[in-house]
């Protein structure tokens, strides 16, 4: 192995030295230029895996009665209505609020309210539910999963992409 500073072959065990913020593998002479590191830095994956294993073991001991894993269901049967921007604007105006007042009530920036009302931004489900509750409007609709085979049988004529896909029009 060669020294990363002088390029000479390193006799024996190479040293790790921190020189100007970089940890280098160097010979004994070049190691004096920086601070010698006592142990070669380990791979971060090994360190984080050990910490994670200890944390999980500690959690098992604390929660010995039951160790449940909670996951969020990212698949949702809810979706935003098509004309959400107009509904939000009309709901806000019916209450007589400015965008600033609505933003203050739901703890959002005025720019977010403006972008939602102009249709430049679609609110996520969490924000849409806050808007629904505050303005007493309906922004989220549930949709039903339809079996593709039953949907095909309802269509007349040859199957096309248009007979399978629900097309949203603005």
């Amino acid at each position: 192995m060669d020294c990363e500073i002088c390029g000479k072959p390193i006799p024996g065990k190479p040293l790790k030295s921190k020189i100007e913020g970089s940890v280098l593998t160097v010979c004994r002479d070049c190691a004096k230029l920086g601070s010698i590191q006592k142990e070669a830095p380990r791979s971060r994956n090994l360190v984080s895996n050990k910490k994670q294993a200890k944390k999980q073991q500690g959690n098992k001991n604390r929660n010995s009665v039951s160790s449940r894993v909670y996951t969020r269901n990212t698949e949702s049967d809810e979706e935003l209505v098509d004309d959400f921007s107009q509904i939000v604007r009309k709901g806000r105006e019916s209450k007589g609020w400015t965008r600033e007042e609505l933003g203050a009530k739901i703890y959002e920036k005025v720019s977010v309210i403006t972008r939602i009302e102009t249709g430049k931004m679609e609110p996520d489900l969490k924000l849409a539910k806050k808007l629904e509750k505050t303005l007493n409007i309906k922004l989220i609709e549930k949709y039903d999963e339809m079996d593709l085979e039953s949907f095909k049988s309802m269509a007349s004529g040859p199957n096309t992409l248009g007979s399978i896909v629900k097309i949203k029009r603005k």
Side-chain angles (χ1 to χ4, degrees), residues 141-153:
E141 63 183 5
K142 293 193 182 278
Y143 65 90
D144 297 326
E145 293 282 334
M146 183 178 267
D147 183 31
L148 183 60
E149 295 303 319
S150 65
F151 189 71
K152 283 182 189 177
S153 64

Side-chain angles (χ1 to χ4, degrees), residues 4-126:
E4 292 181 351
I5 293 181
C6 65
K8 294 179 187 173
I10 301 173
K13 186 177 176 185
L15 297 172
K16 296 282 186 180
S17 180
K18 189 170 191 175
I19 303 170
E20 293 186 18
S22 297
V23 178
L24 303 170
T25 305
V26 294
C27 63
R28 290 213 178 271
D29 296 331
C30 295
K32 297 173 187 173
L33 299 172
S35 60
I36 298 174
Q37 304 295 302
K38 291 185 180 179
E39 187 178 315
R42 293 184 187 177
S43 171
R44 290 184 184 208
N45 291 339
L46 294 175
V47 173
S48 64
N49 286 343
K50 285 181 181 178
K51 286 181 182 177
Q52 191 175 19
K54 280 186 178 180
K55 187 183 281 186
Q56 287 175 351
Q57 187 178 20
N59 288 342
K60 283 181 183 177
N61 292 340
R62 275 186 252 141
N63 301 331
S64 60
V65 175
S66 71
S67 66
R68 296 181 185 161
V69 177
Y70 295 99
T71 59
R72 274 195 179 164
N73 186 5
T74 55
E75 281 295 313
S76 176
D77 59 346
E78 300 173 330
E79 67 179 16
L80 202 60
V81 295
D82 292 332
D83 54 345
F84 66 90
S85 59
Q86 296 167 356
I87 294 172
V88 171
R89 184 178 49 80
K90 287 178 183 175
R92 177 184 57 81
E93 289 172 350
S94 70
K95 296 269 189 184
W97 293 340
T98 63
R99 289 178 177 164
E100 290 82 9
E101 290 172 324
L102 175 59
K105 290 188 187 299
I106 64 169
Y107 304 104
E108 290 292 336
K109 293 182 179 180
V110 177
S111 61
V112 172
I113 305 298
T114 303
R115 289 176 26 215
I116 289 171
E117 287 186 359
T118 57
K120 293 181 181 176
M121 175 184 151
E122 282 189 10
D124 61 352
L125 289 177
K126 184 178 176 183

